[in-house]
Amino acid sequence: MIYILYFLIFISGSCIASYICAYLYRNKNKKNLPKRSICEKCKRELCWYENIPVFSYIFLWGKCKMCKNKIDLKYFISEIVLGLWFIFSFIYYLGIQEGKIYFVLSCILGSLLLYISLEDYESQEISSYILYTIIFIALLKNVLFLDVKSLFWALFISLPYWLIYFISRGKWIGIADPFLFTSLNIFFGPQFAISLFLYSAWFGVVFAYIYLKNNKNNYIPYVPIIFFSTLVILIFQYHIITIQDILVINEIIGK
């Protein structure tokens, strides 16, 4: 039964991701769009079985049924990623007393993160109201459960990103990046914040190398990297450096 539950949770996340992608496409191409989803190449309205998240892409081999043009891979990846976010958010908070509330807030957070990740990747612009909503959700979780200590450490660990932003005057990273880091650190706690700092830096180097080889502009969309790093931590729950390690090192240096 637990695997059926996982499947339903995954499909729920995939459906929301599919809706987000469709909304962004329609918002970008407002004119002359029918009510139903269409092929971006031949403009044909899709059948119901071509609109099933994840599975339609697999069954159609990533191509339009009629014109045989490739379907943009971002739709498939987005549906997989948000489906995984939903599943591992459920696992992450399984057994915690307030787990149900955490899970719902995490699913909302993941959906908003996917939205601004796609925005950042496609247009290098992020909706400020989405970013403010993410900040609000992070603070709401902290206020609901009065976790002042985690709030302090999350803010402290976020300081390097704010320093980078102010020192570079926004040339190295945008204002959305430190805001997003701070929000995720507040939401998931100080241990998560340390890991997110490390993972996002390493993944950022790899992504920048691949991205700049295939793109002429010097702008690197960093929000998708933050989103991917957060998902990796959720899935593997592996922290290379733990708070206990830092305390031990500090004790050794003190002696």
Side-chain angles (χ1 to χ4, degrees), residues 159-170 173 175 178:
L159 277 178
Y161 292 97
W162 288 104
L163 290 174
I164 292 170
Y165 172 75
F166 285 116
I167 290 171
S168 69
R169 297 182 181 179
I173 60 174
I175 186 64

Side-chain angles (χ1 to χ4, degrees), residues 7 10-11 13-15 17-18 49-62 75-84:
F7 176 76
F10 177 82
I11 289 297
S14 300
C15 288
S18 180
Y49 55 83
E50 295 176 277
N51 275 314
I52 303 172
V54 180
F55 297 102
S56 290
Y57 187 93
I58 296 171
F59 294 149
L60 294 169
W61 295 91
Y75 298 118
F76 181 66
I77 293 174
S78 298
E79 290 162 4
I80 290 286
V81 163
L82 196 59
L84 290 175

Side-chain angles (χ1 to χ4, degrees), residues 189-206:
Q191 178 58 74
F192 197 97
I194 295 169
S195 296
L196 183 59
F197 180 89
L198 296 172
Y199 279 102
S200 61
W202 295 334
F203 288 138
V205 171
V206 175

Side-chain angles (χ1 to χ4, degrees), residues 43-145:
K43 308 303 179 184
R44 176 183 62 87
E45 289 191 17
L46 303 182
C47 304
W48 67 268
Y49 55 83
E50 295 176 277
N51 275 314
I52 303 172
V54 180
F55 297 102
S56 290
Y57 187 93
I58 296 171
F59 294 149
L60 294 169
W61 295 91
K63 296 180 181 179
C64 174
K65 180 184 175 183
M66 297 299 293
C67 67
K68 303 301 180 184
N69 278 302
K70 289 184 178 180
I71 302 169
D72 198 328
L73 190 60
K74 72 180 179 185
Y75 298 118
F76 181 66
I77 293 174
S78 298
E79 290 162 4
I80 290 286
V81 163
L82 196 59
L84 290 175
W85 181 286
F86 274 42
I87 286 178
F88 286 98
S89 291
F90 179 78
I91 295 171
Y92 192 79
Y93 293 116
L94 192 65
I96 299 176
Q97 187 176 357
E98 301 87 1
K100 291 180 180 178
I101 300 174
Y102 288 164
F103 171 63
V104 172
L105 291 176
S106 182
C107 288
I108 298 171
L109 180 69
S111 302
L112 297 175
L113 275 173
L114 175 64
Y115 186 96
I116 61 173
S117 294
L118 291 170
E119 279 190 321
D120 192 28
Y121 185 79
E122 293 181 355
S123 61
Q124 292 80 56
E125 294 181 359
I126 294 173
S127 301
S128 56
Y129 65 92
I130 298 292
L131 186 61
Y132 296 150
T133 305
I134 290 173
I135 297 167
F136 173 77
I137 290 170
L139 291 173
L140 176 64
K141 176 179 178 287
N142 199 274
V143 168
L144 283 175
F145 302 104

